Amino acid sequence: MKTVIGNWKMNVGTRESVALARGVLLALRGKKAIPETVVCPPFTALAEVRKIVARTHVALGAQDLFWEDSGAYTGEISARMLAEHGVSHVIVGHSERRALFETDEMAGKKAAAALVAGLTPVICVGETAVERKAESQAVVVKRQLVAALSPLKAKGKDRVLVAYEPVWAIGTGEPATPNDAVAMHAFIRGFIAESFPSLTKRAQVLYGGSVDGTNAYAFLREKEVDGVLVGGASVKMKEFGDVLSAACEVIEKQGV
Ligand code: 13P
């Protein structure tokens, strides 16, 4: 199964979110084989987008959550509140949040809270340009994985998505090469198998960072790449439609 997630970030309001959600449904209409598709609007648009994607193959995701269930945490949104809104996936530890607001440990608490509420966490990991230059990407990603996965107690049907998003590739128009992605995905998969064997079967690894309509196929056709997490191109309907079509084509060709 291939997964395509659109992270709309803070780029769209409710009206645009609704239009994008309609566009996603249109792009998938009539396709024989479709990827698992998740759209992640801003919090304020979740309720309206839910109305569009309810009872379709498109799932609703959020961009963040807080780890406590309820209480005096002004401005925060809990996993339970998201679940109440029909949310099934939640992005955790995005590099844009790590840069400004949160630590590796906080990402772990958030991922654990997501699972407890029955949500699928999409845990983002990835090195900066400086860290890549110093060839420390494996060390950095390992540290982020340990912090994010250690608190998890997955059971039943729980799933965990890991998104390898090198910071230098996000929003730059300069994606990693598919080879770079494959190498890091293999590393991530190997590390999870070795250090978190109970998660091995539940974890899928997605690539994110300047994925668009023209390069999505090259990533998605790789066996090591379970899917893509798309930012900028996911708020341009034509581009995102092309990403979805690329995923459909790979699934049809490879029967995955
Ligand atoms: P871009 O696709 O704009 O590079 O962003 C990727 C991303 O951050 C998805 O979470």
Side-chain angles (χ1 to χ4, degrees):
M1 174 50 78
K2 298 284 178 180
T3 300
V4 175
I5 304 182
N7 173 10
W8 298 347
K9 308 191 178 182
M10 205 178 70
N11 288 315
V12 286
T14 301
R15 204 180 314 173
E16 292 157 289
S17 295
V18 165
L20 278 175
R22 289 210 173 100
V24 169
L25 293 181
L26 215 60
L28 292 171
R29 190 184 286 172
K31 302 274 191 206
K32 274 193 228 113
I34 61 170
E36 174 178 28
T37 307
V38 187
V39 293
C40 303
F43 287 136
T44 50
L46 284 172
E48 289 302 315
V49 172
R50 179 191 192 179
K51 291 181 194 162
I52 310 294
V53 301
R55 291 177 295 281
T56 72
H57 291 297
V58 176
L60 190 59
Q63 299 175 17
D64 185 33
L65 78 162
F66 189 58
W67 56 81
E68 294 292 347
D69 214 28
S70 64
Y73 302 103
T74 303
E76 297 298 330
I77 305 278
S78 72
R80 201 174 52 174
M81 290 169 176
L82 294 177
E84 231 173 54
H85 265 279
V87 166
S88 56
H89 293 67
V90 60
I91 297 171
V92 168
H94 192 282
S95 63
E96 288 154 11
R97 295 199 58 81
R98 289 182 191 264
L100 291 171
F101 308 114
E102 61 194 53
T103 62
D104 293 347
E105 285 64 36
M106 285 157 90
K109 285 182 176 186
K110 290 181 177 196
L115 280 187
V116 169
L119 306 181
T120 298
V122 182
I123 300 167
C124 300
V125 297
E127 79 286 358
T128 63
V130 174
E131 289 161 343
R132 165 70 57 159
K133 215 163 172 204
E135 291 181 13
S136 53
Q137 62 269 25
V139 177
V140 170
V141 167
K142 206 152 120 174
R143 186 198 74 220
Q144 292 170 334
L145 286 172
V146 168
L149 301 180
S150 301
L152 301 192
K153 291 180 190 66
K155 54 182 186 311
K157 291 203 176 94
D158 286 349
R159 283 171 68 216
V160 174
L161 303 183
V162 174
Y164 171 58
E165 295 207 308
V167 180
W168 46 269
I170 295 179
T172 58
E174 287 182 29
T177 62
N179 280 349
D180 280 340
V182 165
M184 282 307 284
H185 285 212
F187 168 74
I188 290 168
R189 227 181 281 282
F191 181 68
I192 293 176
E194 188 187 299
S195 306
F196 301 94
S198 64
L199 290 176
T200 307
K201 282 207 188 90
R202 306 165 190 275
Q204 283 174 277
V205 188
L206 318 183
Y207 169 75
S210 294
V211 173
D212 62 21
T214 52
N215 62 29
Y217 188 88
F219 288 104
L220 287 163
R221 75 174 169 199
E222 299 292 345
K223 197 171 151 285
E224 282 288 351
V225 177
D226 293 313
V228 286
L229 177 52
V230 187
S234 71
V235 291
K236 296 184 195 123
M237 206 45 249
K238 159 90 179 65
E239 282 289 326
F240 199 53
D242 288 348
V243 173
L244 290 168
S245 296
C248 294
E249 200 182 324
V250 168
I251 295 168
E252 253 182 64
K253 273 200 186 136
Q254 301 182 352
V256 287

